[in-house]
Amino acid sequence: MSERKTVVIDLEETEKAAIGELSGLKSAEARGILSVNNVSDRSRIWNVRVLLEESAGGTSFSEDTLSAGEIDAGAKWETDYKVDIRKPILTLTERFDTCGTVPTDKPHWAYVYGKENPVKITIKVKNETDGQLDNIVLNKTIPPELTMMNVESTSSGATEFDEGTRTIIWKDFVVYPREESTLVISATGNVEDTDSRSAGEIVVTYRGEDQQRSGLTPDMTALTEFLTGIETAETEPNQWECILECSNESDLMVRLDKAEVYLTPEDDGEKQKMIDDAPRMEMFPNQEWSSKFEIGSKSPPKCNQEVVYTPMRVIAKRVLGTIEKTPQKLPVARIDYTKEFDPPEVGSFDKTPVEVTIEVKNVGSARLNSFTVEDSLPDDVMPPKPEHVTAWVKGREYSGELEVAIDPEDQNPEVPHKMTFKILNLKDSVGEVEPGETVKINYAIMAWRNRPEKEYPSPICCEAHTYPEGLAAESASAEDGHKIGILYKKRSISTKKGINKGSDPGQFMVVLVIENKGEVTVENVEVTDWIPAGFEYVSTDPVEEAPMEKPVDDGTNLVWSWARMNPGDKKRINVGVQAGEDAGEYERREPQVTSD
Amino acid sequence: MLKIAYFGKTSFALETKETTVLLNPGTWDGESAVPDDFDCRVIIVTNHEDDALGNAAEIAVNSKAWILGNESTIERARERGAKAWLLHTLKPEVPYEIPGLKVTPFSLQKRSVETGENIENLGLHIEMSTMKVSYLGDSLVRGPFGHLETNVMIVPVGGEHAFPVKDAVSLCIDALPQVGIPVRWTSEDQPKKFAKYIEQFGQKTTPLLMEPGQTLEVQWAAGHEFRHSVSSESPEPE
């Protein structure tokens, strides 16, 4: 038996799709080439007609039949067409997570400036058809800011990394119907400026053998080298045997669809169909087929034939696809801050309200959803109450949720406090803070008798997050940063003493004048004046300034204590002293003054 | 009950059933804060400058009220036609008492509007109807007022010639009055800041920003509970 050669009707359909930064489909289009390949070595085919019937819907074909003319042996005829498609047969998705170590529903989409971003790239290809997809080659460009790259896993296939083009090539795998394959890559991202970065493009090509995007079901009719004839032979007098003979003279398989023979009567009456056959016989090259009938006739019968055949065809089809993914833009989260005291310095030993203004600015290229500020207040400072903290977001006073925590929860100026301000979930209130916009926090503290020899650092740490939360963009001061300036004001306590004779014998009137001549308030002032032995304390004017009496070896100390003396405060105290019998002269010693 | 009527700037009238005391009826930019015919029994002026003394002489002549002040103030009041027998010089820390009123003056300072030098300015500790009012309307220093028992503290907040906001706040924090009233501001934000800081750091003090024409009423309910309210009644003469 001869080789079974058939004409090939080939449908090669090519689809191209583009998907966006977040793997959403942007466009999909398909084109096809319909070709008729005469695979014969020697036989032409002609009168070739490609029959599309009603399958041309959804394509750019406007006719149901395509006329292909004649096609030489070994040659082909082709025509192209468009196919309407909504999506490709392979779905490509990329999840580029800039903080793969923090599990979230949605991936992190921004780098954080100055940090080692633990990037995790998950690429999936899913076969959306009931046929197998093969010849898949996926190229993922790895951006230069990624280092320490590692292929964590592949569900199938092999990967290689092209150092020159910084491309990961994933290939040598098939995706079975309705299944998907996954590639996971990890890397470390380092960015040292705030320009948005490209996540790297993806191009994937694939093949779906025996698949098509159009609904075309083409058939074909044609002619080729094929012999037909009617042999009429008299078997007996006036008895004739008529044989319809067909022979496939080509090297192609031919299908004999119809064989009819009509006899014209001798009296030229109506034709009679003597052979009516529809054998649909597949004839190999050189194969013959015949059919016969007998009839009586004085003269050789006149017969006409009607034979329909066509070279046999097979349909080959495939889909070749390409999907290009637009590189995702990855902005960079970065913040900067300012912290100001107003006034920037306070007088020593004074109580001064100081406005603290902290402004955190988005100096990166990513939108920021939440802010946390930790502000440390030193001792000798009274912190505010939480309700007196005010915040502005994007230049407007913020009335949303502002969490203020003060640790410890008091206003004790003798201990340091840590204040924490949180402004969260801005996307659901006033909107995320765009690059260039700010968050401002203002509150007042009370500088509380700060000492000039002491330092009062008030360090700060600011954090901001994109949504969903991953690494924090940070900006912080040095641990001893933001010192509250202390303006030294001199303390000066003046004491004057006079010893006057009283009106009665042995009576002395000691006058003490204590005055705060300094620039600041002094506290815990203690004045001690000595009364010699032999003299007795009698009275004080004013009476409410009566001292404590403390006996000492050589007399008595009178001690006055005042909680505080303000600048300009002046005490004038007249102390009545009575001399004993052998008292002698009233010895003068200078009063002693101590204070904080 | 003690009524404290506010005329604006640093001028107040303290009124009880027994007497009315006018404080610093000053003149500002040629305008008198208190009308010449205001009727009162005592006028206390803390220094001799116009923003304190103002038309005190005219008021005193019209209402036959005493004028109390330090020596320089009394001298200037005399120059302006106040009757000699209605003038009384206050000595620092020496209380002045009449029925229904006890005033203890303290020698403080203010920066002179006229010369820029520091001059004496009296701080007043006033006791009327069991209420204690500390009046430092023009003061640059606090003196002993940080530890004097006080129910109502009247403090300047405008800086320059008198307290800046911070010192007024500091004083209220130390003295712990029930009510703190800022006066003599030079910008609108000063009394607001005073109120803000007192609310935050004044442990027991209520800041009260008074408008000219308003009257503050303070009293002891049940003998020990301090109560105050503000009305917009015009100050009434005695």
Side-chain angles (χ1 to χ4, degrees), chain A residues 342 350-353 355 382-385 388 411 442 444-446 448 489 521 564 566-567 569-571, chain B residues 93 107-108 141-147 165-167 169-170 173-174 193 196-197 199-203:
Chain A
D342 181 21
D350 207 349
K351 290 174 185 167
T352 307
E355 296 279 348
M382 180 185 278
K385 296 174 184 170
H388 289 122
Q411 285 191 294
N442 172 265
I445 58 175
M446 181 69 82
W448 199 270
K489 288 191 174 180
T521 300
R564 59 186 295 153
N566 298 299
D569 278 5
K570 190 175 178 180
K571 306 281 185 185
Chain B
E93 302 177 38
S107 177
L108 306 179
V141 294
R142 59 158 62 181
F145 283 86
H147 49 266
V165 171
K166 76 175 186 67
D167 289 340
V169 172
S170 176
I173 288 173
D174 289 340
K193 279 189 173 179
K196 173 183 167 184
Y197 297 145
E199 282 174 0
Q200 290 191 43
F201 305 114
Q203 304 295 316

Side-chain angles (χ1 to χ4, degrees), chain B residues 86-237:
Chain B
L86 291 176
L87 297 174
H88 178 82
T89 301
L90 293 172
K91 300 293 184 189
E93 302 177 38
V94 176
Y96 170 87
E97 277 190 89
I98 60 173
L101 171 67
K102 179 182 178 183
V103 180
T104 305
F106 293 87
S107 177
L108 306 179
Q109 292 180 330
K110 72 167 282 193
R111 185 160 295 124
S112 170
V113 176
E114 298 166 5
T115 66
E117 301 292 325
N118 285 2
I119 61 172
E120 186 185 50
N121 177 68
L122 297 179
L124 307 175
H125 189 254
I126 302 166
E127 297 174 60
M128 295 176 72
S129 185
T130 71
M131 286 291 170
K132 297 179 176 68
V133 178
S134 289
Y135 179 82
L136 292 93
D138 278 337
S139 186
L140 190 60
V141 294
R142 59 158 62 181
F145 283 86
H147 49 266
L148 293 180
E149 185 182 349
T150 300
N151 304 118
V152 178
M153 176 75 78
I154 300 172
V155 283
V157 294
E160 194 176 0
H161 303 102
F163 273 175
V165 171
K166 76 175 186 67
D167 289 340
V169 172
S170 176
L171 177 58
C172 287
I173 288 173
D174 289 340
L176 297 174
Q178 278 86 353
V179 172
I181 302 172
V183 295
R184 201 185 173 114
W185 58 82
T186 53
S187 67
E188 292 296 324
D189 66 314
Q190 289 167 340
K192 291 176 183 170
K193 279 189 173 179
F194 171 83
K196 173 183 167 184
Y197 297 145
I198 291 297
E199 282 174 0
Q200 290 191 43
F201 305 114
Q203 304 295 316
K204 296 177 180 175
T205 304
T206 300
L208 186 61
L209 275 58
M210 294 188 70
E211 298 286 340
Q214 286 186 327
T215 298
L216 168 66
E217 296 181 359
V218 293
Q219 60 184 314
W220 296 105
H224 63 278
E225 184 188 350
F226 182 87
R227 286 187 182 173
H228 75 276
S229 61
V230 177
S231 68
S232 296
E233 295 174 9
S234 296
E236 291 180 2

